[in-house]
Amino acid sequence: MIKLAILASGSGSNAEKIMEHFQGSTKAEIALIASNKANAFVLERAKKFGVPTFTFTRKEMDAGVLLAKLQEEKKSIG
């Protein structure tokens, strides 16, 4: 199964449609929603679908924290 991460910083209406599309799919799964805004509504939408979330700052992204998180997620899912 393909594991997908979505990067979003707003309300998450597009992310919600993607999560709906892949809900129950045997081909792909949304494994993570990541946002550079801790108060982005997309994080609430992710909770509704039981999708883990991750927030980061611009400084953390520049330092490679986001990439490290994605690599960590990849290792944890095989």
Side-chain angles (χ1 to χ4, degrees), residues 29-62:
E29 171 186 350
I30 307 304
L32 182 71
I33 298 285
S35 179
N36 64 328
K37 294 184 180 178
N39 62 346
F41 193 69
V42 69
L43 302 173
E44 292 301 316
R45 292 181 195 262
K47 285 181 189 176
K48 182 174 112 177
F49 285 89
V51 175
T53 62
F54 177 72
T55 58
F56 57 92
T57 64
R58 172 68 184 255
K59 187 175 182 178
E60 289 171 329
M61 186 176 82
D62 291 344

Side-chain angles (χ1 to χ4, degrees), residues 1-7 29-34 50-55 65-78:
M1 178 180 295
I2 297 170
K3 304 289 184 171
L4 303 170
I6 297 174
L7 305 180
E29 171 186 350
I30 307 304
L32 182 71
I33 298 285
V51 175
T53 62
F54 177 72
T55 58
V65 171
L66 177 58
L67 179 59
K69 177 66 175 174
L70 293 172
Q71 290 171 333
E72 174 187 315
E73 290 295 319
K74 183 178 179 182
K75 287 179 185 175
S76 74
I77 57 176

Side-chain angles (χ1 to χ4, degrees), residues 8-19:
S9 62
S11 75
S13 57
N14 289 330
E16 182 172 33
K17 291 295 182 189
I18 294 168
M19 289 185 282

